Amino acid sequence: MRNLLIVDDEKNIRLGLRAIIERGLPASYQIQFAAEGEEALELIRAGGIELVITDIRMPGMDGLALIREVQELELERKPVMMILSGHDDFQYAKEAMLYDVKEYLLKPIVRDELFASLVRVEQELARKAQLTERLEEVHHYRDELLASQLNYIFLHPDMTEAEIAERCEKAGWSAVVAGAAGAGEGAGGAASGGYIVGLLKLAGAGGSRAGQLEANITAELGGGIWFYFKDKDDRLVMLCGSAQPLERLVAFMQKHKMAGQIGMSGRMHAAGDVKVAYLEAREALGYGFLQTCGEPLLLQFDRGRERSGESQVSLEEIRKLANMLGTDRDKEMKAILTELLDAKRLAGYDMAYIEEISRQLNELVFDSVFNRYGEESVEILRIYKKVGSIYNFETIHDYFHGVEDLLLRLSDYVRSLRSVHAEHKEMKKAVSYIHENYHRDLNMAMVSNHVSLNYSYFSQSFKEFTGESFVTYLKKVRIEKAKALLLEEADCKVYEVSERVGFESAKQFNRVFREMEGISAMEYRTKAAVQRA
């Protein structure tokens, strides 16, 4: 159903036209009325009107003036104009034809002539729609090809300026720039006025918000963004003739409460410079990492910005952090980290310097922990993965808290591993002491004192380390030693073996031996002798 506007100062003519159309062509048109040219012009400006039937003679703005005004409007699709007139208005009608008015109807309206005119208009609109669809398909294919080529260019650092320019031209760069120049803003295009690249990053996941923004780039922002596409990181790359459309985009985001930032390159002139422009926009976008404000920001690349005021990132403080892990010096670690990631200090450096700090933290602190001690919990690994890139965070403050959280968790992890290591060292020492002194009147109190551990704590730790209680473990050691003596020294009496391995009496020795081996000590010796014979 098309939107049709009937413009005539006589109410009966407006109503009569509607009745004829609705009876003859039911459900074909959504009809609106205007009694004068000014009212009609406002309705047309609002958009959506596809077809206008207007009288020529009206008070105020007449039909001819209305047609002239419509031709001056900046609409994506202007309505088709049809005129109504009496025989005396033929000179006006001839002038109207100069403004691409296709149909001329005489009063009084003849039903068949009206329908014939509407059919011809419908055919014209259908041809235009088909042509527009084909052009849109061509433009879409060209845009996809150019987007693909630009992403390829951005991902390959070794391409020369000449190679970049050649790829851009083959993918339709000239058509994009020429189309932009023809549209008005940035006339002259890359050949004269040049271009800039904008790079948009929305805060959080894009989702429907990103879709809403893209849908309105051309509709609500008044043009000026010649071409846009998504890069590999799902950021919106925009090619513009000036900063104005990007400023309008920021205003649109503020209006719709969209948090995000736009990095803007310096002005370029050659197609071969598009990668440089993209890198400048990306670096400018990175400056937003140092901002604390959540509102949309337009960040201009500054070619005069200090390029890493220090020749290299100082590694001394980062190494200190690595050395402090697990040493109960969390307060000192926080102080070093606060100085290292101070937003005011970092504001004087380019993003390469900040990226280098992140890289050194990853290599010297986080990676070294996992390389030395192995992986920890899933939660620590999740944080570790996120902290791996500063661009996983909206601001330097978010990154700081992520690094701080990971540092403290890793410090606890290292502390626990060192504690376990120390315990194992003490338990090995205890086991060694048992094997050296099993023949004596040995008890757990003596061994725990030897390794300087609390009696109860030693009991629990010893069982965790050996899998057995102290008493059971000591019995097993003594019985193993006794079995060796029974086999190796045939003349040694059983009671003598009992004494030599630390039992109080032969009776106790025989009881324990039978419990563990299922036979008595004498039976064990006899059985072994038979097997050897």
Side-chain angles (χ1 to χ4, degrees), residues 320-425:
K320 283 182 182 179
L321 286 174
N323 293 334
M324 288 179 181
L325 289 173
T327 62
D328 296 319
R329 299 170 72 180
D330 294 354
K331 189 174 181 180
E332 292 178 57
M333 286 197 300
K334 288 182 182 180
I336 291 174
L337 192 63
T338 299
E339 175 64 22
L340 195 65
L341 298 178
D342 179 60
K344 290 183 179 179
R345 182 181 74 84
L346 294 176
Y349 302 111
D350 64 10
M351 288 307 297
Y353 180 79
I354 302 170
E355 289 171 349
E356 180 64 12
I357 290 177
S358 174
R359 190 178 72 83
Q360 295 296 346
L361 280 170
N362 291 336
E363 291 184 5
L364 298 180
V365 183
F366 307 137
D367 292 351
S368 65
V369 169
F370 291 114
N371 290 337
R372 183 174 180 182
Y373 298 103
E375 296 182 350
E376 222 278 326
S377 69
V378 172
E379 179 63 15
I380 284 185
L381 290 174
R382 184 187 65 79
I383 300 170
Y384 167 63
K385 183 177 180 181
K386 185 175 182 182
V387 166
S389 171
I390 60 175
Y391 297 109
N392 290 330
F393 299 85
E394 300 295 338
T395 68
I396 184 71
H397 299 287
D398 295 334
Y399 177 65
F400 171 87
H401 291 303
V403 172
E404 180 185 48
D405 185 23
L406 183 56
L407 269 178
L408 296 180
R409 287 174 182 265
L410 288 178
S411 189
D412 288 341
Y413 174 50
V414 172
R415 190 181 299 117
S416 67
L417 288 177
R418 288 178 177 174
S419 175
V420 169
H421 178 73
E423 288 178 9
H424 281 201
K425 185 178 179 181

Side-chain angles (χ1 to χ4, degrees), residues 197-261:
V197 167
L199 190 60
L200 167 67
K201 179 185 178 183
L202 285 177
S208 60
R209 286 289 207 177
Q212 178 189 1
L213 183 142
E214 288 182 47
N216 285 276
I217 277 184
T218 54
E220 287 199 26
L221 302 182
I225 297 178
W226 302 346
F227 173 68
Y228 63 90
F229 64 98
K230 293 285 188 66
D231 70 1
K232 69 177 182 65
D233 296 314
D234 206 37
R235 296 172 300 203
L236 202 64
V237 183
M238 296 164 284
L239 188 68
C240 316
S242 70
Q244 292 178 358
L246 299 181
E247 291 167 355
R248 290 196 294 268
L249 181 55
V250 168
F252 176 84
M253 291 167 64
Q254 288 172 330
K255 176 182 175 182
H256 293 277
K257 296 181 171 56
M258 295 180 180
Q261 296 166 343

Side-chain angles (χ1 to χ4, degrees), residues 59-88:
M61 179 186 291
D62 62 19
L64 195 56
L66 171 62
I67 292 168
R68 292 195 199 101
E69 291 291 334
V70 169
Q71 293 304 312
E72 296 297 321
L73 292 179
E74 293 186 3
L75 296 174
E76 184 177 353
R77 292 184 182 178
K78 294 178 182 177
V80 173
M81 306 297 292
M82 300 172 63
I83 58 172
L84 283 172
S85 74
H87 290 282
D88 295 339

Side-chain angles (χ1 to χ4, degrees), residues 8-23:
D8 200 297
D9 58 326
E10 294 186 34
K11 183 178 180 180
N12 289 337
I13 292 179
R14 297 196 301 269
L15 294 175
L17 273 172
R18 182 175 69 179
I20 294 172
I21 293 171
E22 288 182 345
R23 281 197 301 269

